[in-house]
Amino acid sequence: FTPNLNTARTALESFTYTVPAEATAQNDIVLATATASGDKNETVPMHFDHILSAVQFRIGKMAEGEIKSIKLNNICSAGTYNVTDATWAPNYDSKQSYAVTFNAYNTNNNYDPTNEGDTMNADDAILMMIPQQLSDDAEIVVEFVYGHDGTTVELRGNIAKKAANGETATENFTWANGKTIYYTISV
């Protein structure tokens, strides 16, 4: 976190931030702004807004087995937040991968693969990301272990494009400030 103050050094104009690699080290950022005269002893109302995007995974239809990990590749990891207009300027040269591991592979993120619709990553493993328009190369990688024979497979999919009702996508998906994005994983 690097603050950028105005020339009088009396107000925060922007700050730069880099998302930690480990989900358990990522924190939400909430921000409130207010103007106070400074010459009175008065209460200043503050409204705090979440300014990162939360990414969570839900259980879809599952084959017998379990998800060992989910990784998001080519995700912008840094950016500058402009306090005045409440917008992010992602640094697209800072692409990284972010992973969450599950069940026996990480006891902090247990889930029951038979509970369709449940959220898989626990509160301490929600990915807190820079709001951004996903790049064309953004992808999800699911490592799945089949229950009948223990075979591990890696399933990949592009997450950049958004489309509805089977139409061809024309623009990339955007993760917005203060929103939670859910990806439902079916194997």
Side-chain angles (χ1 to χ4, degrees):
F1 181 89
T2 306
N4 304 307
L5 301 175
N6 63 0
T7 54
R9 303 193 59 77
T10 58
L12 178 67
E13 289 184 339
S14 66
F15 62 86
T16 54
Y17 177 71
T18 301
V19 177
E22 295 295 321
T24 55
Q26 297 170 6
N27 295 307
D28 194 3
I29 299 176
V30 293
L31 182 70
T33 58
T35 303
S37 61
D39 60 354
K40 299 178 183 151
N41 186 10
E42 61 185 81
T43 302
V44 176
M46 308 272 301
H47 173 75
F48 287 86
D49 291 311
H50 297 268
I51 62 171
L52 292 177
S53 298
V55 178
Q56 290 192 277
F57 306 103
R58 287 187 174 154
I59 300 168
K61 301 260 184 225
M62 282 292 163
E64 181 185 334
E66 64 183 328
I67 293 174
K68 182 176 178 180
S69 68
I70 299 174
K71 184 177 4 175
L72 298 178
N73 289 334
N74 303 312
I75 304 300
C76 179
S77 67
T80 300
Y81 184 79
N82 183 318
V83 175
T84 306
D85 63 10
T87 59
W88 280 96
N91 176 352
Y92 287 101
D93 291 332
S94 69
K95 291 181 187 175
Q96 301 240 348
S97 295
Y98 293 93
V100 178
T101 56
F102 299 99
N103 270 347
Y105 307 103
N106 181 343
T107 57
N108 293 328
N109 295 307
N110 285 331
Y111 74 95
D112 181 346
T114 62
N115 290 340
E116 190 174 334
D118 281 2
T119 301
M120 296 166 60
N121 46 332
D123 290 343
D124 65 344
I126 295 171
L127 296 174
M128 301 304 298
M129 305 277 83
I130 299 288
Q132 60 193 279
Q133 184 174 42
L134 296 177
S135 299
D136 287 340
D137 59 353
E139 72 172 348
I140 189 167
V141 179
V142 176
E143 189 175 8
F144 186 79
V145 180
Y146 283 98
H148 64 279
D149 66 1
T151 301
T152 300
V153 294
E154 197 173 82
L155 309 167
R156 295 176 172 269
N158 183 287
I159 58 171
K161 298 290 185 190
K162 68 176 184 178
N165 303 321
E167 297 176 12
T168 302
T170 58
E171 63 183 73
N172 286 16
F173 189 73
T174 298
W175 292 348
N177 294 15
K179 301 295 181 186
T180 301
I181 296 87
Y182 291 97
Y183 291 98
T184 300
I185 310 300
S186 296
V187 177

